[in-house]
Amino acid sequence: MTASTTTPPTVPGYVNWVVKRLLRSPAHRVMSKTTMLLTFAGRQTGNRYVAVVRYLRQGELVSCYTDSKWWINLRDEPAVELLIAGRRMTGIATVVEDPAVIADSLSEFLHTMPGDSKYYGVRRNAQGLPRADDIAEAAKHTRLIRIQLASGR
């Protein structure tokens, strides 16, 4: 069986608008264990951008994924700001473009957050686990952003 050929669903813009406000409010606990705000500067314009992304934190390393083009602004390992669980943090972002590395990381992420599989076009097998072939396909057009948090956070 081949990987899904349909376009994975994406979150409508108004949802991100609502989530940004929620994550900045005292009610952030509803979503902030899995969703963060990532703030970064545009490489050419210097404009400030804020992306709503799901994340996986392992100690001082935060991983997130995107198939949108905003990741291009993170190519030069810039300093970024994160709003995680109501706390502002800083770190250095590194973009990973190697599909094999992305697939390994995305597999771990989707085991932790199975409901996100649909956003990557990843189906589940008979045991309910993410299908490796779908993950490999998703990794071809997904970027992994690894953020090393600044010490003391």
Side-chain angles (χ1 to χ4, degrees), residues 4-41:
S4 176
T5 58
T6 60
T7 303
T10 187
V11 177
Y14 72 87
V15 172
N16 282 337
W17 182 87
V18 170
V19 171
K20 283 179 186 178
R21 276 139 192 86
L22 178 67
L23 290 174
R24 290 176 176 139
S25 79
H28 68 82
R29 286 175 183 81
V30 173
M31 297 187 78
S32 63
K33 288 183 181 179
T34 59
T35 307
M36 71 173 179
L37 296 181
L38 175 63
T39 303
F40 54 91

Side-chain angles (χ1 to χ4, degrees), residues 100-141:
V101 174
I102 296 167
D104 285 344
S105 181
L106 187 58
S107 178
E108 182 178 359
F109 176 77
L110 294 177
H111 276 83
T112 305
M113 294 184 213
D116 281 15
S117 294
K118 64 185 173 193
Y119 297 114
Y120 298 93
V122 174
R123 297 168 289 179
R124 313 297 268 172
N125 64 21
Q127 293 77 33
L129 300 174
R131 290 176 42 144
D133 58 337
D134 286 355
I135 290 172
E137 187 61 31
K140 293 177 185 176
H141 55 84

Side-chain angles (χ1 to χ4, degrees), residues 41-59:
R43 283 187 331 154
Q44 295 179 1
T45 65
N47 290 344
R48 217 168 115 100
Y49 297 99
V50 179
V52 175
V53 290
R54 301 275 279 175
Y55 72 93
L56 183 61
R57 182 173 179 184
Q58 297 167 309

